[in-house]
Amino acid sequence: LIRRQIDATLIALSPHLDDVVLSAAATVLRWPGRRLLVSVFSGDPAEPPSGVAAAFHSACNLGHDAMLRRRLEDFAACEVLRCEPLHLEFREALYRTAANGESEIGEEGELFVASAARQDDAVRMVAETLRRILDEHPFSTVLAPLGHGCHRDHIIVRQAIEHLCYPIFAYYDDQPYEWWGRPRGPRPPDGYVHKMRKLHADGWETKIRALGCYASQMRMLWGQDWKQGFEIDHRQAGGIREEGLWVRV
Ligand SMILES: [Zn+2]
């Protein structure tokens, strides 16, 4: 039993390729055992991409190979954080089409519509895949997004892991949505308390270096001088190199 505890794997669930690093790098960096960073919505878009997907690509300075390049960014970030990447092939909301071939998302704002977030089929499919991953990594510790901002992909990941009734070690505050005052995510279940996890100077520097690997996403979120924008948003939200986490007590 002791050996299993030492070897326990952290499974950090990231809806998109950059979410865990933006929101919960401290937890990953402190984890003494194996670290698996599972990015759920890492699949390629349909060809040709929808109008809203094409607009997103141009905001990220990416072309038709956007997801390939973003997966490469994640490989680099995982090397910085010393964790193993696992890219699931689900398409993110911007890329999904309904059965009639129409895009799920007509314009960006629809990504954050909480009432549309309950998508049972997507939750069930993601849950099935997560169950297989958990079976392959017994005694794992799971870190999940809370769903701040109500991005529908974040909500799907949370609902999928909760659907499995697997104990969740902690939920992280999704950034930058929480800093930006976007709608609060659904409350954590009873028995979780909010804590701030501080990153010491070298941890913070490692986080910034890992974020820099996601060049396309940092540019899309904060522009060319993303480091400055990131630091300003972090400070204005009252952060002093800290990350918010809901931890099971
Ligand atoms: Zn995300």
Side-chain angles (χ1 to χ4, degrees):
L1 182 65
I2 289 168
R3 173 139 189 88
R4 276 172 185 158
Q5 281 172 344
I6 291 168
D7 287 345
T9 302
L10 176 71
I11 296 189
L13 296 178
S14 202
H16 306 111
L17 289 158
D18 55 353
D19 287 311
V20 160
V21 184
L22 276 166
S23 307
T27 304
V28 173
L29 286 169
R30 281 185 198 182
W31 191 256
R34 214 177 142 191
R35 307 155 174 182
L36 196 60
L37 205 170
V38 179
S39 298
V40 174
F41 297 101
S42 305
D44 291 314
E47 283 293 338
S50 66
V52 66
F56 174 71
H57 291 167
S58 93
C60 302
N61 203 21
L62 291 169
H64 65 283
D65 58 349
M67 286 312 295
L68 171 65
R69 285 176 54 190
R70 289 182 58 194
R71 290 191 295 268
L72 292 173
E73 291 176 347
D74 190 61
F75 282 129
C78 284
E79 206 159 306
V80 172
L81 290 180
R82 287 180 289 112
C83 52
E84 300 163 52
L86 183 58
H87 298 155
L88 307 187
E89 290 182 357
F90 295 103
R91 284 179 175 161
E92 65 172 273
L94 273 176
Y95 294 161
R96 288 196 290 272
T97 47
N100 63 6
E102 265 180 42
S103 300
E104 182 177 311
I105 302 294
E107 49 103 16
E108 200 197 327
E110 293 171 28
L111 290 171
F112 305 98
V113 179
S115 59
R118 194 158 175 81
Q119 298 168 90
D120 293 340
D121 284 352
V123 170
R124 208 178 48 248
M125 285 190 294
V126 171
E128 275 170 25
T129 303
L130 295 182
R131 187 194 299 282
R132 282 203 299 275
I133 295 168
L134 291 170
D135 285 348
E136 285 167 19
H137 299 86
F139 308 103
S140 297
T141 299
V142 170
L143 176 68
L146 187 70
H148 277 315
C150 299
H151 189 301
R152 58 177 74 190
D153 289 343
H154 289 229
I155 302 286
I156 289 170
V157 171
R158 174 169 167 187
Q159 289 180 343
I161 189 68
E162 288 180 343
H163 178 76
L164 297 178
C165 299
Y166 190 89
I168 295 166
F169 154 67
Y171 294 88
Y172 57 84
D173 288 331
D174 317 56
Q175 302 301 0
Y177 303 133
E178 199 234 349
W179 295 346
W180 290 352
R182 295 280 180 86
R184 308 292 293 177
R187 279 200 56 79
D190 288 343
Y192 286 81
V193 294
H194 195 251
K195 292 189 172 163
M196 297 305 289
R197 283 229 157 142
K198 193 164 178 62
L199 285 134
H200 297 293
D202 55 341
W204 185 255
E205 192 266 336
T206 304
K207 170 169 173 151
I208 298 287
R209 211 149 37 89
L211 284 177
C213 298
Y214 300 106
S216 67
Q217 302 309 292
M218 295 306 106
R219 174 197 153 108
M220 181 266 296
L221 290 166
W222 287 289
Q224 209 63 53
D225 293 326
W226 68 269
K227 264 187 221 174
Q228 209 182 356
F230 171 82
E231 295 264 5
I232 289 169
D233 282 355
H234 175 64
R235 266 202 308 277
Q236 280 180 347
I240 30 170
R241 299 181 173 180
E242 288 179 332
E243 295 169 341
L245 208 64
W246 293 87
V247 185
R248 197 179 49 206
V249 287

